[in-house]
């Protein structure tokens, strides 16, 4: 199951590469950059697929190394068309070196249907006569048919289990080889060479291969068809005696993959493409690679996160791919969070939708500090344009108590300036209860006080007013405003005989008066009173505003006496 | 719908260019093409730095026989640029596509079939349609120089011949305009002190808003103050007001409204009794971006979410449970069937979904830049 899963995932990656190559090939005018990109992606596909064949598939059920390698070679490094173009106009294919060169490649690469067609194309149509030349043609035709038959009868992979079919077939090839004697030595050598290749003769295979890859894969397929991945190393010696490997990173990487030196192979992948390096390393880490390499300690596990982070870093600052970048970091257990913390605050946002998406990254990854910072940024943005409801919501989410206090003071100042409750609609939008931020709670209670007064619920209004005073949330100067509010209530209580305040409340009012008249806040208190005086009489119709709070003190005394009188009665 | 299996897999459609991350997908349901296998839909993108993209698509269904799933072929018919993120989108009559933008503007695009004319706009490649902007009006802003996102719009019922459109945005205003005129019809300046996320216009005299504070507000369009304010109380503690991101009509009951919120929940409301929600379910674990009712199975509610999945909630057998401690949680009921639809390698958000009842095609788009679809 795990193997299948790994192969499925690998297939998804390869599919992405293949689709990208296709999309590049569809571009009508390919400049050098596009051609280089196509070449790079082809190299990536070759390396990726070779790793899949060599490392992802282990169980016998899925393992067909020799045929997989052949398929890989033909897909990633297909035969070119140049030889075919040359052969198209050739009058005498049989005696053309290019023909046989092509045929060898077809045989080496297991492209047997094409090879058979090639052989058939040199069968000459003859009539049976006693002419010696024609008889020679008949013999050649017979040999061609025998070779074709030999190719067609090559045993399939499943029958290798017994080995018997394979040995029988090898024996047939050997006998046919010995029976080929022709006057035309050129033809004779070529037919024998084909049979030698089919029989797995290493010298023949390597002599006719045009590259080390072709030679290696052909050797595995024809000489060691039941080879396992760990055995491939042992076939490499003769190949590298005959061939040298190009110093380009892809060839070097492929060589090391065959040698099962995966760490070295990945170091060459660095020079090919960072996507390849990071994703291949990640997937290889999920295989039981240590087992495959015989318990050798591998560095790729240590490097995995580094490669992923290096790949993801440019994405984090990309205008549209930042979400993908963070997804990569989520798979980096050791260092991913550090990078998230560094980059998440740098993603620009100018509307709430994007803000919520950035916030989700913080929530999903436990980035509490960054979450608060981003929410605060949003709140501040609204603060600058005086959208206070949104500001308060965001500051509450961020736990910015001091900022909320400042907003609370803004609203209270507005009341002092104008006598109007400007924050009523703001509070309509905000969830407030006893567990809310205390500044917002205070505003909510203070608004409630005013609406209770308006609706003539004086008992409840008095209760709320006492709570507002006792909370001591507002600035000390504003306690004076709250004390001014007590005066008409105390007067009303006395006039109508309603007990709006207890004696303890009156004592508290006296205490708060002394606090307001503290020298330390004298300036601000005096300014506040002056501002209130501008509108107070007009709004309320009574003169209860004075810097020394005497109206409050006087009314407190009267109310206390009234309470005592009523009590004694 | 009884055979809605537990895990539909969305089939991935790997597209070459969807114009970026998809913020909206919308079918053109204005035409009833019963004989045609072609279905038109549009996608709008977001988060592209310079200009986003509107794409007009065609999907063709080819059936192979009874019992066989039809094969779907998608092709882009037309393309145009869009200033700002596409925040809402809707086809209206006369081949017009209405969109709203994060830069505060309401836009209208005329869909022109260039097959019937000699003109072929080379910039849209080999497509047969052109999307021509016929209206662009900036309706929402915080200040003269600072735009506010126009989050959503709704069209007054029975005004399709001369559409009257109500728009809402981050500036907390409702702006009601006629597409034909260049003069604003009516502006409700302080409809909400916070950002308004979604709007419905179920009846001529009733507009429903959802805001970032978890409130529903009902307005009479002729008035400046809401007639009703209520909030989603399905979460405790009670002061947690979860922002509501989206609203949807019930197909036949105009008083029933569905909402989706920031915590992944969907709620059904009865606007005649808004003191508390009627039903609630939790199909997702993150922000719900869109909800809609199945047009025929009307207890089935679809939603899409930041968690990268689509939810299908069947409220048919909803039974409210009553907790002795907290009667406000009665709406959290039993017997709510929730199915999840997702694409196994997709972890990125799905921002928008739409359904075409005739073709039974459910389509979605999100931040993985691909269209994901299934047949239901």
């Amino acid at each position: 199951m795990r193997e299948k899963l790994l192969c499925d995932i690998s297939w998804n990656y390869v599919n992405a590469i293949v689709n990208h190559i296709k999309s590049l090939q569809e571009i009508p005018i390919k400049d050098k950059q596009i051609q280089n990109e196509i070449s790079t992606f082809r190299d990536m596909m070759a390396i990726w697929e070779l790793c899949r064949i060599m490392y992802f598939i282990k169980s016998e059920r899925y393992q067909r190394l020799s045929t997989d390698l052949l398929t890989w070679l033909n897909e990633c490094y297909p035969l070119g068309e140049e030889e075919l173009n040359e052969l198209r106009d050739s009058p005498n294919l049989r005696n053309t070196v290019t023909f046989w060169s092509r045929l060898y490649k077809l045989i080496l690469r297991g492209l047997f249907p094409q090879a058979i067609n090639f052989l058939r194309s040199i069968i000459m149509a003859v009539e049976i006569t006693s002419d010696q030349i024609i008889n020679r043609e008949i013999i050649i035709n017979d040999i061609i048919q025998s070779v074709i038959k030999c190719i067609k009868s090559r045993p399939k992979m499943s029958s290798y289990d017994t080995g018997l079919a394979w040995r029988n077939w090898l024996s047939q090839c050997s006998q046919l080889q010995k029976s080929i004697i022709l006057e035309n030595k050129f033809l004779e050598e070529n037919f024998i060479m084909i049979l030698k290749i089919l029989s797995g003769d290493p010298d023949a295979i390597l002599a006719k291969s045009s590259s080390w890859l072709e030679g290696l894969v052909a050797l595995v397929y024809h000489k060691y068809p039941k080879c396992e991945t760990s055995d491939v190393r042992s076939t490499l010696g003769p190949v590298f005696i005959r061939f040298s490997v190009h110093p380009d990173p892809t060839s070097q990487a492929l060589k090391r993959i065959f040698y099962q030196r995966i760490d070295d192979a990945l170091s060459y992948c660095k020079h090919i493409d960072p996507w390849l390096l990071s994703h291949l390393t990640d997937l290889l880490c999920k295989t039981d690679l240590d087992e495959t390499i015989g318990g050798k300690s591998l560095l790729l596990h240590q490097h995995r996160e580094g490669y992923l982070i290096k790949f993801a870093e440019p994405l984090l600052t990309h205008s549209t791919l930042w979400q993908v970048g963070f997804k990569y970091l989520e798979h980096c257990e050791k260092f991913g969070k550090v990078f998230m913390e560094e980059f998440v605050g740098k993603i620009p946002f100018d509307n709430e939708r994007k803000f919520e998406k950035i916030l989700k990254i913080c929530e999903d990854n436990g980035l509490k500090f960054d979450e608060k910072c981003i929410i605060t940024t949003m709140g501040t943005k609204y603060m600058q344009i005086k959208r206070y409801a949104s500001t308060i919501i965001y500051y509450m989410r961020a736990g910015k108590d001091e900022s909320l206090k400042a907003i609370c003071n803004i609203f209270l100042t507005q009341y002092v300036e104008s006598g109007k409750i400007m924050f009523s609609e703001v509070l309509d939008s905000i969830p407030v209860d006893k567990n809310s931020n205390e500044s917002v709670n205070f505003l909510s209670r203070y608004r409630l006080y005013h609406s209770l007064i308006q609706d003539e619920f004086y008992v409840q209004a008095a209760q709320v007013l006492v709570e507002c005073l006792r909370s001591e949330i507002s600035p000390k100067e504003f306690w004076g405003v709250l004390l001014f509010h007590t005066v008409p209530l105390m007067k009303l209580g006395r006039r109508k005989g309603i007990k709006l305040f207890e004696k303890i409340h009156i004592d508290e009012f006296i205490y708060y008066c002394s606090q307001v008249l503290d020298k330390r806040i004298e300036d601000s208190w005096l300014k506040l009173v002056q501002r209130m005086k501008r509108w107070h009489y007009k709004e309320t119709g009574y003169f209860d505003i004075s810097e020394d709070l005497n109206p409050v003190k006087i009314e407190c005394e009267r109310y206390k006496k009234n309470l005592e009188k009523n009590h004694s009665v | 719908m009884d055979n809605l299996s537990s895990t539909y897999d969305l089939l991935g459609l790997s597209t070459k260019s969807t114009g970026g991350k998809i913020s909206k997908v919308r079918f053109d349901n204005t035409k009833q093409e019963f004989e045609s296998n072609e279905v038109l839909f549009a996608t709008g993108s977001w988060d592209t730095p310079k200009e986003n993209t509107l794409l007009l698509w065609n999907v063709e269904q080819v059936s192979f026989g009874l019992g066989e799933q039809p094969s779907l072929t998608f092709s882009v018919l037309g393309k145009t640029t869009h200033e700002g993120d596409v925040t809402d989108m809707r086809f209206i009559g006369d081949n017009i596509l209405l969109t709203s933008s994060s830069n505060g503007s309401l836009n209208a695009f005329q869909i022109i079939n260039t097959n019937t004319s000699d003109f072929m706009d080379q910039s849209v490649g080999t497509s047969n349609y052109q999307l021509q902007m016929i209206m662009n009006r900036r309706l929402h802003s915080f200040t003269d120089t600072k735009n506010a996102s126009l989050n959503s719009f709704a069209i007054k019922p029975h005004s399709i011949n001369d559409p009257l459109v109500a728009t809402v945005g981050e500036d907390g205003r409702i702006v009601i305009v006629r597409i034909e005129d260049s003069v604003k019809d009516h502006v409700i300046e302080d409809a909400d002190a916070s950002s308004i996320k979604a709007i419905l216009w179920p009846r001529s005299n009733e507009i429903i808003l959802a805001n970032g504070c978890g409130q529903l507000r009902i307005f009479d369009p002729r008035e400046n103050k809401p007639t009703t304010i209520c909030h989603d109380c399905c979460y405790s503690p009670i002061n947690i007001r979860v922002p509501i991101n989206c609203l949807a009509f019930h197909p036949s009951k105009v008083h029933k409204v569905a909402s989706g919120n920031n915590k992944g929940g969907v709620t059904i409301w009865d606007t005649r009794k808004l003191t508390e929600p009627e039903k609630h379910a939790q199909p997702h674990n993150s922000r719900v971006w869109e909800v809609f009712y199945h047009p025929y199975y009307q207890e089935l509610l679809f939603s899409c979410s930041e968690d990268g999945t689509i939810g299908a909630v069947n409220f048919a057998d909803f039974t409210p449970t009553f907790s002795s401690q907290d009667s406000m949680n009665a709406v959290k009921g039993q017997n709510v069937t929730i199915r999840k639809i997702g694409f196994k390698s997709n972890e990125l958000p799905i921002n928008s979904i739409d359904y075409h009842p005739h073709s039974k095609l459910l389509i979605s788009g999100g931040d993985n830049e691909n269209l994901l679809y299934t047949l239901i």
Side-chain angles (χ1 to χ4, degrees):
Chain A
M1 271 307 285
R2 188 178 166 79
E3 255 177 36
K4 188 176 182 314
L5 186 61
L6 283 170
C7 287
D8 284 347
I9 294 169
S10 174
W11 169 241
N12 286 337
Y13 281 128
V14 169
N15 214 16
I17 298 172
V18 165
N19 285 337
H20 186 63
I21 293 173
K22 275 185 193 163
S23 66
L24 289 172
Q25 283 169 336
E26 281 169 10
I27 297 170
I29 301 167
K30 294 181 194 46
D31 58 18
K32 197 159 182 224
Q33 192 186 349
I34 292 173
Q35 286 172 8
N36 285 343
E37 198 173 327
I38 292 174
S39 172
T40 301
F41 273 81
R42 283 206 174 116
D43 290 342
M44 282 164 58
M45 190 172 86
I47 292 170
W48 192 287
E49 278 288 270
L50 186 61
C51 282
R52 178 183 66 81
I53 293 165
M54 294 289 287
Y55 299 125
F56 296 166
I57 305 167
K58 288 193 188 55
S59 71
E60 241 179 70
R61 191 176 158 199
Y62 296 111
Q63 199 171 49
R64 295 185 303 263
L65 181 69
S66 57
T67 47
D68 282 346
L69 281 177
L70 212 60
T71 309
W72 169 82
L73 180 72
N74 287 322
E75 280 180 2
C76 296
Y77 298 98
L79 282 175
E81 302 288 307
E82 305 81 20
E83 283 166 332
L84 289 178
N85 294 333
E86 207 181 307
L87 290 172
R88 203 160 280 135
D89 299 321
S90 176
N92 187 356
L93 286 174
R94 274 189 200 175
N95 294 317
T96 309
V97 170
T98 310
F99 172 84
W100 291 100
S101 168
R102 182 77 178 185
L103 183 57
Y104 289 135
K105 287 187 183 129
L106 294 173
I107 301 284
L108 284 166
R109 286 164 172 261
L111 297 169
F112 295 137
Q114 290 99 309
I116 289 168
N117 284 341
F118 248 61
L119 284 166
R120 282 188 181 140
S121 68
I122 57 169
I123 294 176
M124 300 250 180
V126 288
E127 288 175 14
I128 299 176
T129 66
S130 60
D131 191 323
Q132 232 180 352
I133 294 171
I134 289 171
N135 282 340
R136 282 203 291 272
E137 286 303 322
I138 291 170
I139 292 168
I140 292 169
N141 284 350
D142 284 344
I143 289 172
I144 293 171
Q145 293 289 9
S146 298
V147 171
I148 289 172
K149 191 178 166 190
C150 192
I151 293 170
K152 279 184 174 179
S153 63
R154 188 179 190 272
K156 299 278 185 259
M157 185 71 180
S158 56
S159 67
Y160 293 172
D161 293 335
T162 60
L164 182 63
W166 178 247
R167 286 195 296 274
N168 283 345
W169 180 78
L170 282 177
S171 167
Q172 281 169 32
C173 286
S174 176
Q175 279 173 14
L176 179 59
Q177 200 179 313
K178 286 173 187 161
S179 70
I180 295 174
I181 300 168
L182 295 171
E183 279 183 27
N184 185 336
K185 291 300 169 192
F186 176 75
L187 283 181
E188 182 184 316
E189 281 166 15
N190 281 310
F191 283 129
I192 290 171
M193 187 58 77
I194 286 171
L195 289 166
K196 279 185 175 178
I197 291 171
L198 284 170
S199 310
D201 183 317
D203 291 332
I205 287 170
L206 292 177
K208 293 302 174 186
S209 296
S210 53
S211 68
W212 71 272
L213 271 177
E214 194 172 73
L216 169 61
V217 172
L219 202 59
V220 169
Y221 182 71
H222 293 286
K223 176 75 178 164
Y224 308 107
K226 287 188 77 179
C227 180
E228 292 182 7
T229 50
S230 51
D231 300 330
V232 171
R233 266 180 294 197
S234 54
T235 66
L236 293 172
V239 176
F240 293 125
I241 289 171
R242 185 177 279 273
F243 295 99
S244 59
V245 180
H246 198 274
D248 70 277
T250 304
S251 303
Q252 294 298 321
L254 291 173
K255 179 181 172 183
R256 278 150 184 82
I257 291 169
F258 281 118
Y259 267 117
Q260 295 199 305
R261 282 156 51 186
I262 191 62
D263 286 331
D264 294 342
L266 289 171
S267 69
Y268 280 100
C269 290
K270 270 185 216 171
H271 305 289
I272 299 170
D273 187 88
W275 182 92
L276 175 69
L277 176 65
S278 50
H279 291 77
L280 186 58
T281 306
D282 179 62
L283 207 57
L284 284 167
C285 284
K286 291 170 169 73
T287 65
D288 301 322
L289 208 54
D290 292 337
E291 257 180 48
T292 310
I293 314 287
K296 184 183 165 189
S297 158
L298 294 168
L299 294 174
L300 58 97
H301 292 283
Q302 294 170 30
H303 292 151
R304 175 189 159 270
E305 268 200 29
Y307 293 155
L308 282 176
I309 288 169
K310 194 158 182 188
F311 178 76
E313 236 181 295
L315 300 178
L316 299 171
T317 52
H318 191 275
S319 55
T320 58
L321 296 172
W322 49 274
Q323 286 161 299
V324 176
F326 281 95
K327 284 292 170 197
Y328 276 97
L329 295 182
E330 283 174 11
H331 292 274
C332 300
E333 296 81 14
K334 285 188 202 151
F335 302 110
K337 197 168 173 180
V338 170
F339 279 82
M340 282 193 217
E341 284 165 356
E342 190 186 329
F343 283 95
V344 75
K346 293 178 184 169
I347 305 168
F349 58 90
D350 60 359
N351 59 68
E352 286 181 337
R353 188 121 166 166
K354 188 166 178 182
F355 156 78
E356 290 288 346
K357 287 180 179 281
I358 299 168
L359 213 61
K360 182 171 183 293
I361 292 172
C362 297
E363 290 165 1
D364 286 350
N365 295 287
L367 308 175
K368 295 265 181 243
F369 176 74
D370 301 278
E371 187 181 335
K372 279 194 176 163
C373 289
I374 290 166
I375 297 172
T376 305
T377 305
M378 195 64 172
T380 307
K381 175 197 153 188
Y382 277 112
M383 179 81 171
Q384 285 165 353
I385 51 177
K386 298 186 180 165
R387 297 282 303 167
Y388 292 118
S390 296
T391 308
I392 290 172
I393 294 282
Y394 288 118
Y395 280 164
M396 280 170 68
R397 271 168 91 170
K400 303 289 286 183
D401 292 340
E402 285 305 313
S403 304
L404 288 165
K405 203 169 180 179
I407 294 173
C408 175
N409 293 344
I410 291 173
F411 288 136
L412 296 179
T413 306
Q414 282 175 351
Y415 174 77
V416 166
E417 297 281 347
S418 64
K420 291 183 175 32
I421 302 293
M422 308 282 232
F423 50 88
S424 193
E425 280 168 9
V426 168
L427 289 180
D428 278 341
S429 299
I430 294 169
V432 183
D433 73 355
K434 58 182 186 213
N435 297 317
S436 302
N437 171 270
E438 49 185 31
S439 301
V440 176
N441 225 328
F442 174 82
L443 283 177
S444 173
R445 306 301 285 164
Y446 188 59
R447 180 183 68 156
L448 178 62
Y449 159 77
H450 281 279
S451 37
L452 288 169
I453 289 288
Q454 202 165 9
D455 295 337
E456 297 181 6
F457 292 115
Y458 298 116
V459 173
Q460 294 88 332
Q463 219 170 347
V464 170
L465 192 57
V466 167
E467 285 168 12
C468 287
L469 266 167
R470 282 177 170 175
S471 69
E472 298 184 8
I473 300 280
S474 62
K476 263 192 185 167
E477 306 84 75
F478 200 81
W479 297 359
V481 176
L482 297 174
L483 288 167
F484 289 143
H485 291 325
T486 63
V487 172
L489 278 173
M490 283 193 279
K491 283 182 179 170
L492 183 77
R494 279 193 302 113
R495 198 166 62 242
K496 294 204 171 175
I498 311 167
K499 193 177 183 184
L500 294 176
F501 297 112
E502 301 289 338
K503 184 178 175 300
I504 189 170
H505 298 148
I506 306 302
D507 293 336
E508 284 172 16
F509 295 164
I510 306 290
Y511 164 73
Y512 286 126
C513 283
S514 67
Q515 294 297 302
V516 172
L517 295 174
D518 190 325
K519 286 275 180 212
R520 283 174 287 191
I521 59 164
E522 190 177 354
D523 276 344
S524 46
W525 166 239
L526 292 174
K527 282 177 189 163
L528 183 147
V529 174
Q530 288 306 313
R531 295 204 302 262
M532 276 196 81
K533 276 181 178 174
R534 283 183 213 140
W535 58 264
H536 190 261
Y537 176 68
K538 220 192 287 183
E539 296 288 327
T540 65
Y542 53 85
F543 293 99
D544 286 326
I545 302 289
S546 96
E547 291 83 349
D548 54 12
L549 286 169
N550 275 345
V552 179
K553 292 175 195 171
I554 292 166
E555 194 51 45
C556 281
E557 286 303 316
R558 288 179 185 162
Y559 194 87
K560 221 195 276 189
K561 277 183 187 154
N562 193 55
L563 276 178
E564 282 162 3
K565 190 170 114 187
N566 289 341
H567 180 71
S568 62
V569 166
Chain B
M1 296 314 296
D2 290 338
N3 55 358
L4 185 66
S5 63
S6 59
T7 48
Y8 264 97
D9 248 346
L10 277 176
L11 300 173
L13 174 68
S14 142
T15 61
K16 287 174 193 168
S17 57
T18 57
K21 297 197 275 197
I22 301 169
S23 54
K24 288 289 163 191
V25 291
R26 285 290 181 267
F27 280 108
D28 182 359
N29 286 322
T30 57
K31 300 178 184 64
Q32 295 290 326
E33 300 282 353
F34 292 108
E35 291 176 5
S36 169
N37 287 330
E38 286 190 342
V39 172
L40 286 182
F41 68 93
T43 58
S45 75
W46 78 284
D47 209 23
T48 309
K50 285 181 187 158
E51 277 174 330
N52 286 288
T53 312
L54 274 182
L55 292 175
L56 183 68
W57 295 78
N58 168 52
V59 54
E60 210 172 320
Q61 287 194 34
V62 178
S63 289
F64 293 115
L66 287 175
E68 294 272 352
Q69 282 273 36
S71 157
L72 299 170
T73 312
F74 292 81
S75 51
V76 175
L77 299 182
K79 174 180 174 176
T80 189
T81 54
H82 188 276
E83 212 183 302
D85 300 342
V86 177
T87 53
D88 205 352
M89 192 160 69
R90 186 170 158 179
F91 284 88
I92 60 178
D94 290 333
N95 291 322
I96 293 176
L97 178 64
L98 214 54
T99 72
S100 57
S101 171
S102 61
N103 68 7
S105 62
L106 182 71
N107 311 297
F109 294 87
Q110 182 78 55
I111 300 166
I112 301 167
N113 188 339
T114 53
N115 270 340
T116 58
S117 70
D118 294 330
F119 176 73
M120 175 74 84
D121 187 337
Q122 294 302 315
S123 67
V124 298
T126 58
S127 52
N128 304 323
Y129 287 76
Q130 205 181 345
L131 291 156
Q132 194 174 343
M133 181 181 274
I134 56 172
M135 182 189 82
N136 168 261
R137 255 186 265 169
R138 201 141 293 184
L139 302 176
H140 291 267
S141 62
F142 293 115
T143 63
D144 290 341
T145 52
K146 193 159 177 55
N147 293 332
S149 175
L150 197 172
N151 289 334
S152 183
F153 61 85
I155 297 174
K156 184 179 177 181
H158 313 299
S159 72
I160 209 70
N161 291 330
D162 182 18
L164 196 63
V165 183
T167 67
V168 291
E170 285 180 354
D171 57 0
R173 303 192 310 164
I174 305 174
V175 180
I176 301 176
V177 297
R178 266 183 210 288
I179 292 182
E180 303 295 318
D181 295 346
S182 59
V183 176
K184 286 179 199 173
D185 192 3
H186 182 46
V187 179
I188 302 175
E189 282 294 341
D190 295 310
D192 200 314
S194 66
S195 171
I196 306 175
K197 307 273 193 176
I199 182 171
L200 286 181
W201 203 339
R203 288 184 262 238
S204 301
N205 60 347
E206 184 179 87
I207 287 178
I208 305 174
L209 309 181
N211 70 12
C213 303
Q215 289 178 337
L216 287 188
R217 293 180 167 218
I218 300 187
F219 277 81
D220 184 323
R222 297 162 296 187
E223 306 293 328
N224 288 340
K225 296 287 173 198
T227 55
T228 315
I229 299 177
C230 68
H231 58 268
D232 194 340
C233 55
C234 295
Y235 299 91
S236 56
I238 213 80
N239 69 326
I240 300 293
R241 299 278 179 83
V242 181
I244 298 174
N245 294 320
C246 51
L247 294 169
F249 282 114
H250 193 276
S252 58
K253 295 173 189 167
V254 78
H255 58 272
K256 290 261 191 194
V257 163
S259 66
N261 65 37
N262 249 24
K263 280 202 178 292
V266 295
T267 309
I268 309 288
W269 306 81
D270 185 336
T271 57
R272 300 168 304 184
K273 196 185 82 165
L274 273 177
T275 47
E276 59 181 19
E278 195 178 81
K279 299 173 188 176
H280 179 82
Q282 195 76 24
H284 302 284
N285 58 22
S286 187
R287 292 135 180 91
V288 173
W289 292 124
E290 277 194 350
V291 287
F292 72 86
Y293 282 96
H294 192 288
Y296 306 140
Y297 297 94
Q298 293 169 6
E299 291 299 320
L300 189 59
L301 190 72
F302 289 97
S303 54
C304 67
S305 167
E306 188 75 8
D307 67 10
T309 64
I310 293 173
V313 182
N314 190 345
F315 284 105
D317 297 320
F318 175 82
T319 313
T321 54
F322 292 89
S323 159
S324 56
Q325 289 161 348
D326 185 359
S327 65
M328 294 297 269
N329 278 338
V331 294
K332 288 182 183 174
Q334 296 172 335
N335 300 329
V336 174
T337 316
I338 298 175
R339 303 278 187 240
K340 294 299 285 284
I341 306 171
F343 186 54
K344 52 189 169 202
S345 62
N346 176 49
E347 291 182 2
L348 291 174
I350 295 179
N351 297 322
S352 181
I353 41 173
D354 202 6
Y355 183 67
H356 191 261
H358 176 55
S359 62
K360 298 185 183 169
L361 183 61
L362 174 74
I363 200 161
S364 67
D367 292 344
N368 67 359
E369 304 192 13
N370 285 318
L371 289 169
L372 303 174
Y373 61 92
T374 190
L375 292 167
I376 294 182

